[in-house]
Amino acid sequence: AGVLLNISAKFWRISRPDWRVTAQVWTMGLEITTLSLAYNRLVHVAPELGDLKLLRELDCSCNRLVNLPARIGALRHLRVLKCNGNSLELLPEELGSCMQLEEVICSENKLVALPRSLGNLRKLHTLLAQNNSLAMVPPTIADVRKTLTTINRELRLELP
């Protein structure tokens, strides 16, 4: 059984309003499989995120993030990434190394492009990226078109 670490604002802000995500979180245990950092007004996620080798689900939605650490690519067991509701302009190309990734929800950001490496993700079945500033969908997304069962209309229209 995995370990869930829920430090979303709804969980802790009432009792510890002065608490911040610190280096201690990243060293709390390598057994964490689900991590929720949602609703914390975070502007940065530490690169140590990549040390959580068993992480399967990351929810960093509804913060103020402008980027995700490149070391996210070290999360070989990551299946779900929820990073919607931030200020992300790009997602790291290293996401393409997360070969177990099935679901990417990156809506409501400032994304101007999606990583070409998403085409490597043969298990990807959900890609939601509406309400961004996407100029185009990388042609590599067509490589996973057969597995995509949930995709927002804007992306579907641009797929080759």
Side-chain angles (χ1 to χ4, degrees):
V3 175
L4 163 67
L5 179 58
N6 183 351
I7 52 176
S8 63
K10 291 180 180 178
F11 182 75
W12 61 263
R13 184 171 285 162
I14 294 169
S15 62
R16 302 264 331 248
D18 60 332
W19 192 84
R20 297 289 181 258
V21 178
T22 64
Q24 290 175 322
V25 169
W26 310 118
T27 58
M28 286 179 73
L30 300 179
E31 296 162 8
I32 296 171
T33 57
T34 302
L35 176 61
S36 178
L37 299 171
Y39 298 96
N40 281 306
R41 299 185 191 135
L42 297 175
V43 296
H44 163 256
V45 174
E48 287 82 5
L49 172 71
D51 294 339
L52 302 177
K53 301 294 184 191
L54 298 178
L55 194 65
R56 291 182 180 189
E57 183 172 341
L58 173 62
D59 183 355
C60 57
S61 59
C62 301
N63 282 292
R64 297 176 182 165
L65 300 173
V66 295
N67 62 40
L68 294 175
R71 287 193 49 209
I72 198 169
L75 301 175
R76 302 289 188 228
H77 297 283
L78 190 66
R79 293 173 189 251
V80 177
L81 172 62
K82 297 176 184 174
C83 57
N84 51 298
N86 282 288
S87 295
L88 299 171
E89 293 181 9
L90 295 171
L91 294 176
E93 278 295 329
E94 289 81 359
L95 271 181
S97 297
C98 301
M99 300 307 287
Q100 301 302 312
L101 203 53
E102 299 173 355
E103 185 175 318
V104 175
I105 301 174
C106 56
S107 305
E108 307 283 338
N109 277 290
K110 297 178 181 177
L111 295 172
V112 295
L114 292 173
R116 296 177 59 81
S117 64
L118 289 182
N120 298 338
L121 304 175
R122 302 293 184 228
K123 295 185 177 184
L124 188 67
H125 62 72
T126 300
L127 177 58
L128 297 176
Q130 64 265 29
N131 298 325
N132 279 291
S133 300
L134 295 173
M136 63 168 268
V137 176
T140 56
I141 296 293
D143 295 341
V144 293
R145 186 176 192 172
K146 290 179 183 173
T147 61
L148 283 173
T149 57
T150 306
I151 185 169
N152 54 281
R153 196 182 91 203
E154 296 91 347
L155 294 180
R156 189 178 300 120
L157 292 174
E158 293 192 33
L159 284 174

